[in-house]
Amino acid sequence: MKVNVHAVNFNVDGKLVDFVQDRMDKLEKYYDKVVSVDVYLKVEKTSDKENKIVEVKMNVPGDDFMVKKQCKTFEEGIELSAESLGRLLVKRKEKMSPHI
């Protein structure tokens, strides 16, 4: 699966990119037909502590899944996004598999 990381209004460091790649790779255990993942990391200019926005767009054959999370850190947002996507992928796999 191809993972693209897009940082909006800031420069992303290598550790964060590796973390995103690692976390998205783990999603393949739920559904192995994922084509690509686009991760958008944004910093909102507010006084609010939860100013980090993580948007993940996952492309699977016949569908696109979009998850958006706002948290204090990018790592937390990526974790929450990955959990949500994991649940979506399990549902998708259950729909696609024939019931016995």
Side-chain angles (χ1 to χ4, degrees), residues 21-90:
Q21 180 74 46
D22 183 52
R23 201 61 188 91
M24 294 300 137
D25 285 344
K26 288 181 182 175
L27 291 174
E28 285 191 306
K29 70 182 175 190
Y30 298 113
Y31 190 67
D32 58 354
K33 293 178 176 62
V34 177
V35 177
S36 65
V37 179
D38 288 312
V39 181
Y40 297 92
L41 305 173
K42 301 176 183 176
V43 179
E44 212 173 55
K45 303 266 193 281
T46 63
S47 59
D48 192 18
K49 284 185 170 55
E50 294 192 356
N51 67 340
K52 310 287 191 298
I53 299 171
V54 176
E55 289 182 20
V56 182
K57 183 179 176 191
M58 181 173 278
N59 186 325
V60 295
D63 250 335
D64 280 346
F65 297 122
M66 182 77 173
V67 175
K68 182 177 180 179
K69 299 291 179 188
Q70 187 165 347
C71 296
K72 291 179 185 175
T73 65
F74 285 121
E75 289 83 358
E76 182 184 0
I78 291 163
E79 286 291 332
L80 293 172
S81 297
E83 288 171 16
S84 296
L85 285 168
R87 288 191 296 274
L88 287 170
L89 291 173
V90 167

